[in-house]
């Protein structure tokens, strides 16, 4: 059984999740976190790189839905230029989050990955729902007590993951 806090794949940034990667693992849709996955949490709009990334997937027939625990205004503003399905106050790490996101895309869980920077929300959401978990490091640390607490919990699991990965790659 897979560990609930360890991803299936990891990349240095979201850019590692290319259409070619998606095709190589047989997936056709991405449930994607926004804050600290695509842009720093305090960046209100998608960068040109994010826009190109979304467009490359769109051109390859890969669907993306934004899945954020942030509020409606934040997610709507971020999505204005991208114009893809989205969920705000999504309820991660609930299994219902994935069900609702997949319904927006008219997709099955077998075709999906969850892309995010948090083990305790994004990765565990994927694990609870039976979809592929793809993790990227947090772009910019959030310096609130809550996020420092979450980071402290995640740190030993991240260390374990990289140690296990290094052993596997020997």
């Amino acid at each position: 059984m897979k560990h609930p806090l360890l991803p299936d794949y990891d990349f240095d940034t979201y850019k590692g999740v290319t259409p070619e990667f998606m095709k190589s693992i047989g997936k056709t849709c991405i449930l994607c976190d926004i804050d600290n996955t695509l842009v720093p949490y305090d960046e209100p709009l998608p960068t040109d790189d994010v826009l190109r990334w979304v467009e490359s997937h769109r051109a390859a027939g890969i669907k993306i839905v934004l899945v954020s625990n942030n509020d409606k205004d934040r997610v709507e503003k971020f999505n204005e230029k991208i114009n893809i399905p989205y969920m705000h106050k999504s309820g991660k790490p609930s299994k219902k989050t994935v069900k609702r996101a997949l319904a927006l895309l008219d997709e099955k869980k077998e075709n999906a990955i969850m892309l995010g920077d948090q083990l305790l929300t994004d990765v565990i959401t994927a694990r609870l729902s039976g979809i592929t978990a793809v993790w990227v490091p947090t772009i910019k640390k959030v310096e609130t007590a809550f996020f420092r607490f979450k980071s402290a919990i995640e740190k030993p699991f991240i260390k374990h993951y990289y140690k296990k990965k290094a052993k596997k790659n020997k």
Side-chain angles (χ1 to χ4, degrees):
M1 184 174 144
K2 295 178 181 181
H3 191 285
L5 290 177
L6 298 181
D8 297 296
Y9 301 96
D10 71 284
F11 292 98
D12 292 336
T13 75
Y14 68 91
K15 294 176 193 176
V17 179
T18 62
E20 294 77 21
F21 167 74
M22 293 293 290
K23 288 182 184 189
S24 77
I25 63 169
K27 305 297 179 181
T28 57
C29 66
I30 303 169
L31 284 60
C32 189
D33 180 50
I34 298 172
D35 293 324
N36 281 326
T37 297
L38 295 179
V39 296
Y41 69 91
D42 53 359
E43 179 65 46
L45 300 173
T47 62
D48 288 342
D49 282 347
V50 169
L51 293 172
R52 281 190 292 275
W53 181 80
V54 169
E55 192 49 45
S56 73
H57 284 84
R58 187 180 277 140
I62 296 165
K63 301 174 189 174
I64 302 174
V65 59
L66 299 173
V67 181
S68 176
N69 281 346
N70 216 318
D71 62 46
K72 186 177 182 177
D73 290 343
R74 168 26 172 179
V75 179
E76 278 185 346
K77 183 175 179 92
F78 184 84
N79 192 42
E80 282 175 1
K81 285 185 178 180
I82 299 174
N83 195 28
I84 59 177
Y86 68 89
M87 294 171 56
H88 65 281
K89 299 267 186 213
S90 68
K92 291 183 289 183
S94 171
K95 283 195 257 184
K96 290 178 185 174
T97 300
V98 170
K99 270 188 172 173
R100 290 185 5 242
L102 291 172
L104 287 173
L105 298 177
D106 193 27
E107 281 283 357
K108 296 177 183 168
K109 72 179 186 175
E110 295 79 24
N111 299 330
I113 71 162
M114 178 77 204
L115 171 61
D117 70 304
Q118 298 286 314
L119 298 181
L120 292 174
T121 52
D122 305 309
V123 170
I124 209 164
T125 297
R127 286 284 177 252
L128 291 172
S129 304
I131 66 171
T132 300
V134 180
W135 176 79
V136 294
T138 297
I139 294 172
K140 182 178 181 182
K141 295 210 182 297
V142 181
E143 294 302 327
T144 64
F146 175 70
F147 279 97
R148 283 195 310 270
F149 174 73
K150 272 179 51 171
S151 180
I153 291 172
E154 291 180 343
K155 195 173 189 175
F157 291 99
I158 292 168
K159 187 176 178 181
H160 173 74
Y161 173 77
Y162 281 124
K163 193 174 184 180
K164 186 176 169 184
K165 184 178 174 182
K167 222 181 221 185
K168 186 178 171 181
N169 291 335
K170 280 188 176 181

